[in-house]
Each structure stands twice: as structure tokens, then as C-alpha cells.
Amino acid sequence: MKQWFIDLPGPMVVKVILAVVVALVALVALFFFYDWIGNTLLDTGGTVG
Amino acid sequence: MDDGVAASEQDAATPAPGVVTRVVRIVGWTAIVSGLLILGFVAQQLFVTTWFAEQHQDALSEEAEEHFATTEVSEVEYTPPVTQDTIEDGAAVVPPESDGPEDDGTPDRSGPRTLLVETAPALGDAFAVVRIPSIERLQDGWTVVEGVRVRDLKNGAGHMPTTPLPGLPGNSVISGHRTTYGAPFHEVDTLEVGDIIEVDTAIGTHIYEVRELQIVRPTDVWVTDPREGSWLTLTTCHPKFSSRRRLVVFAELVDGPNYEAIYA
């Protein structure tokens, strides 16, 4: 993880901004994945048909 | 000298410490990341979705109030269908020229009555509030939106658009989440025959009484079939934390603005 951060391009400020953006995108993607799994397996909303 | 030989034999028998450390580290990190992902999933499903649903409910509750105040309610002529039951008890064979109930005490169940109807809500619009006094979570009511699409059910309970609106003749079907998105129907399995379900609409408050609970397959669409009289059918996932089956609650109208017109 540390190496991944060091390998990011640009000065330190740019590295931090890039890291935050990547983390946010990953979190949003994870949220949608969780939502899909939940709606498919855990609770579809109780509809029939 | 003997000690030196034993130590070198032990070194030869055990794998290099670097490999073991690496394997333990990989296994450890995999376990930690997997645990965090699972924990995140549980937190997202139980708390985040519920938080979103509660925010939506606040807005939808206001939308429903506005719907009650602005929706046009009209009167339509309603003639109940003639069924074998009504033929057998003689109600359907009252001559047209007779004065009905005053003649022989038999209520006239064949003639047209006046039914209150509201204009159909658009998909996604809040138009009703379902309240179940015997379930704490639903004592204050849960807003119902038109439609049972995934996004509709994330906001509130959803009314199946192919079925009549609550309070009208037939079988009105409302679906809701059991464990996520506010879990409005989390405790419907505790309902018993005779319990009351109230539904507020623009027409007024319709009172239903639970007649039956059933566990069915998700493909059992017969639960949405039209029924004689006026019925409310609630559907939700079963068991909790699984979408393997559906828990279905059948309730029949026992009071409300259209009760007399449908059952008199």
C-alpha cells in the first residue's frame, strides 16, 4: 500500500488527492456491489413473479 | 559439538523463516480484508440502507400528505359481480322492479352502488400510508409508493400497479423489504388472524382484518390474483435475511369509505 502511494505520479499534494479520489471511487463501487448482492440474495423487497 | 550438529539438523528440517513469515502475512491480511468486507456489507445493508430509507420516508410522508390534499376523488357506479354465493342466497335474483331491502328484508346486492375512486398515482409517487397497530415499527405508518421496481422499494413499501388501489374491489398488493431499507415488514410474521391493518389513501382510511398468513415461493403469482370483495395482500421476503421464500398476509376490508358499497 505504501509502495502504491509512493508510485503515484506528481508531488505529494497530487499524490494525496489521487489517493483520496481512488479511495472514494472504490468505496462507491463497493457500495453498489453491496447493494446488488443485498437486493439479489438478502432481501429483494418481497415482490412475487 | 553434539549441540552444533543438532542445531544444524533442526535448521535443515524447518523451512526458511522468510517463506513462513510471508505465508502467515498473506493469510493474515486476507483474513483481515475479508472480515472488513463482510463487516462493511452487513453495516451497509442493515444501517446505511435503513438510514437512506428513513430520509426518503420523511420526504415521502410530506408527499403523501400533499397527495391526500390535492388528489381528485370521484364517485363511480359499481355493480358487484354476480357469483355463485350471491345466486345461492337469492340476492342476485331480486326483480328489477322490486324496492329491494324494504320488500322482504333481504338487502339488494345486485344493484349498482357508488364507489369512491381516486386518480391513479404515477410510478414512484407516494400515495398511501400503511399502519399496523400491533407492530411497533408500523404504528406511526410507512409510506407506500406506486410501483414495485427496485428503486421504488428502496424508498418505501410499493404497490403493485397491476392490482387495484387499496380500498377498491379486488386484491390490492403491497410489497416491502423485510431486513433492509428500513425493513417496514420486518415483523409481519408476528401478525395473527384478526389483527388490524389500516391504509390511508386520498379516499380515506381503509381498515383491513388479517385473514391468513402463508409462506410461498417467489414465483407464486397466484397470491396477486383478483379476489371477491376487497382485499389487501402484503408480501415480503422469508425467512429474514433471505429471499428464498415469500411471506404473504391476506387481509379483508372490514371498514372504510367503500366498505358499504362493496359488501352491503
Side-chain angles (χ1 to χ4, degrees), chain B residues 154-174:
Chain B
K154 283 180 179 177
N155 297 334
H159 168 254
M160 192 178 279
T162 52
T163 65
L165 294 175
L168 296 180
N171 184 16
S172 179
V173 179
I174 293 176

